[in-house]
Amino acid sequence: MAAVVRPAKENCTSGGLASVKERTFIPATKPSKFCTAPKPAVASRVAADLLLLLHFAFVTFVVLSLPLILVGGRLGWSWVRNRLFRQLHLAAIAIVVLQSWLGRICPLTAWEMALREQAGEATYTGAFVAHWLDALLYYQAPAWVFLIVYSLFGAFVAASWIWVPPRPFRRRRHTGNPDDR
């Protein structure tokens, strides 16, 4: 008979996560009689991890879009001239630059740190990009360096509108036929 490690029944009301010593073996063939409600710490940790993924996706969008726009402009890729894509990219880097100039931490970073603290996990100080550059590349720099880098990157994104202009929005042509509207 297969056995599954599950939290002991008394852990359902403790509000905390079961430690290794508190776990008991319950045969998998018996019906489950333990609490299955997610613990606040687990829910906060999952939410923080999902927010981290969203933040990573945002940073990836901002950073990788510029070289793709420049390369795509040279290679004739039509999607890099999509006006909505370009407006979203420009707005994204504008928000980053504005936050940097105002000395504000990204709201996604603050929210993630609050969720991690709520889950009882360690948090980090400073900006998301600065933290992960430090963690991944062992790179440390004062805040003014990031301000300059963000500003220059924002200027390049704005200049890309000149180097690779987006297509104008298409207007629908009305022929007077009610079916065309």
Side-chain angles (χ1 to χ4, degrees), residues 8-173:
K9 187 176 180 181
E10 56 269 13
N11 288 327
C12 292
T13 58
S14 69
L17 295 174
S19 69
V20 174
K21 292 180 181 177
E22 294 174 304
R23 294 185 183 269
T24 59
F25 283 93
I26 301 173
T29 56
K30 290 185 179 178
S32 173
K33 293 188 177 185
F34 64 94
C35 179
T36 59
K39 306 288 187 232
V42 173
S44 295
R45 185 178 313 120
V46 169
D49 289 345
L50 290 174
L51 202 54
L52 177 66
L53 287 173
L54 174 68
H55 206 169
F56 179 76
F58 177 83
V59 171
T60 302
F61 169 73
V62 169
V63 172
L64 291 184
S65 291
L66 181 59
L68 288 173
I69 290 166
L70 298 176
V71 169
R74 299 275 292 171
L75 297 177
W77 299 342
S78 64
W79 66 270
V80 300
R81 296 183 186 273
N82 179 289
R83 184 168 288 278
L84 180 60
F85 163 68
R86 298 293 294 279
Q87 287 174 332
L88 289 173
H89 185 236
L90 185 61
I93 190 61
I95 289 168
V96 170
V97 170
L98 182 63
Q99 285 174 182
S100 182
W101 277 97
L102 294 175
R104 305 276 186 208
I105 194 166
C106 176
L108 294 176
T109 301
W111 193 11
E112 179 200 346
M113 288 191 297
L115 287 169
R116 293 213 184 278
E117 188 174 327
Q118 195 174 38
E121 292 185 348
T123 61
Y124 51 87
T125 59
F128 173 84
V129 174
H131 170 76
W132 288 108
L133 278 177
D134 179 48
L136 296 174
L137 306 174
Y138 305 105
Y139 181 78
Q140 293 184 359
W144 65 267
V145 171
F146 290 98
L147 177 110
I148 291 172
V149 169
Y150 295 158
S151 298
L152 288 174
F153 193 86
F156 280 122
V157 170
S160 75
W161 279 64
I162 297 167
W163 299 329
V164 184
R167 289 186 306 268
F169 282 121
R170 294 182 187 153
R171 292 188 177 179
R172 292 185 181 180
R173 294 182 186 190

